[in-house]
Amino acid sequence: MVNKGWLLCIGLATVFIVEVSSQDCGQLSTWLQQANQANLEVLKGKMASTIPQQCLDDVVSFSPKENLRNIDISEEENVKVAIQEVLQQTGHIFKQNNTEMPWDEDSLRVFHAGLDQQSENLKSCLSASPRSQRIQLTRLRVKRYFRSLSDLLKEKEYSRCAWEIIQIQVKECFLWIEKLIQMI
Ligand SMILES: *[C@@H]1O[C@H](CO)[C@@H](O)[C@H](O)[C@H]1NC(C)=O
C-alpha cells in the first residue's frame, strides 16, 4: 500500500511539474524526461513482475514493431511528433475496456491526466507544419502500431493476457521515448 501511494504521489507531482512548465519549450527534454520516467514508474508498479504462464505464448508471438522501427528519427521535429503521437495513442488505448486490467481507478486517472497533459504540452512545442508529408507519415506509423495493439485487444476480448501484452508493449514504447528524448 505504501508503495502504491508513493507512486500515486509521483504521478501527481509530475502532472503538477509539467503543468507549471508547460510554456517553456526550451526545457522540453528536461520535463519530458521527468514525465516519461513517472509514466514508466506508474506502469511498472501496475504490471505483474513476471509474465503469467498462460500469457507467455501470446506475448512471444506478438511483435508489431515494424511500423515504429521505420520512423525517421534523424530530424528533431519528427522525433517530437513521434513522442507526442505515442502519448496520445497510449491514452486512447488505456481507455478501452479495461475490466480485466489490474489497475485501480486512481492510478488510471493519474496516468491518463499525465498523458493528456504531456501530449498537449508537447503539441504546443511543435513547429513543423502538420501538413508536412514526413510528419504525416510518422503519425500514420505510430497509429498503425497502436491499431495492431487495439486489434489484439479486441481479438482476445480484452482479457487479462491481452492487457498484459499491451502493458509490455507500452512499456517498451516508453523506453523507446527515453532514447528519443536524447535526440531533442
Ligand atoms: C469488457 O471485457 C470483459 C472481459 O472480456 C467482458 O466480460 C465485458 O462484457 C466487456 N464489456 C464491454 C462493455 O464490452
Side-chain angles (χ1 to χ4, degrees):
M1 275 326 276
V2 169
N3 200 19
K4 266 188 200 164
W6 192 68
L7 287 175
L8 190 62
C9 275
I10 296 183
L12 289 171
T14 307
V15 173
F16 179 68
I17 291 167
V18 171
E19 228 154 2
V20 167
S21 55
S22 63
Q23 302 304 315
D24 196 353
C25 295
Q27 300 290 317
L28 180 65
S29 61
T30 308
W31 64 250
L32 212 43
Q33 192 106 47
Q34 290 169 342
N36 193 54
Q37 198 56 43
N39 290 343
L40 257 174
E41 292 298 332
V42 176
L43 187 61
K44 280 188 196 162
K46 292 291 155 199
M47 286 172 72
S49 52
T50 53
I51 298 165
Q53 191 68 36
Q54 76 271 21
C55 309
L56 221 55
D57 287 347
D58 292 338
V59 170
V60 172
S61 62
F62 186 68
S63 182
K65 296 240 172 42
E66 222 35 57
N67 281 307
L68 294 185
R69 274 199 212 102
N70 287 335
I71 289 174
D72 174 9
I73 52 170
S74 65
E75 197 198 279
E76 189 179 314
E77 205 54 31
N78 216 35
V79 167
K80 288 192 222 165
V81 166
I83 296 174
Q84 196 260 324
E85 193 65 47
V86 168
L87 294 173
Q88 193 163 312
Q89 295 298 325
T90 300
H92 290 333
I93 201 130
F94 272 82
K95 285 190 181 103
Q96 298 207 27
N97 179 348
N98 51 29
T99 52
E100 295 289 317
M101 195 172 73
W103 287 51
D104 56 281
E105 265 180 44
D106 278 344
S107 309
L108 206 52
R109 202 174 306 125
V110 168
F111 193 60
H112 273 142
L115 288 170
D116 286 350
Q117 186 73 53
Q118 292 149 24
S119 171
E120 282 307 309
N121 288 351
L122 188 45
K123 208 183 262 180
S124 71
C125 292
L126 297 177
S127 50
S129 161
R131 289 224 183 90
S132 141
Q133 227 167 22
R134 191 190 302 197
I135 298 295
Q136 285 186 347
L137 189 59
T138 296
R139 290 198 184 281
L140 188 66
R141 285 183 165 142
V142 174
K143 280 179 186 155
R144 276 195 191 135
Y145 167 78
F146 276 90
R147 173 71 61 80
S148 59
L149 300 195
S150 177
D151 287 348
L152 179 98
L153 271 177
K154 201 185 293 172
E155 185 190 313
K156 298 204 173 293
E157 296 175 325
Y158 309 93
S159 63
R160 176 73 202 272
C161 277
W163 275 111
E164 209 56 55
I165 297 169
I166 300 307
Q167 291 179 91
I168 291 170
Q169 292 289 326
V170 169
K171 181 179 154 197
E172 284 177 18
C173 278
F174 288 167
L175 293 172
W176 183 56
I177 287 180
E178 206 165 78
K179 289 196 195 124
L180 291 184
I181 292 170
Q182 286 159 21
M183 298 172 185
I184 297 177

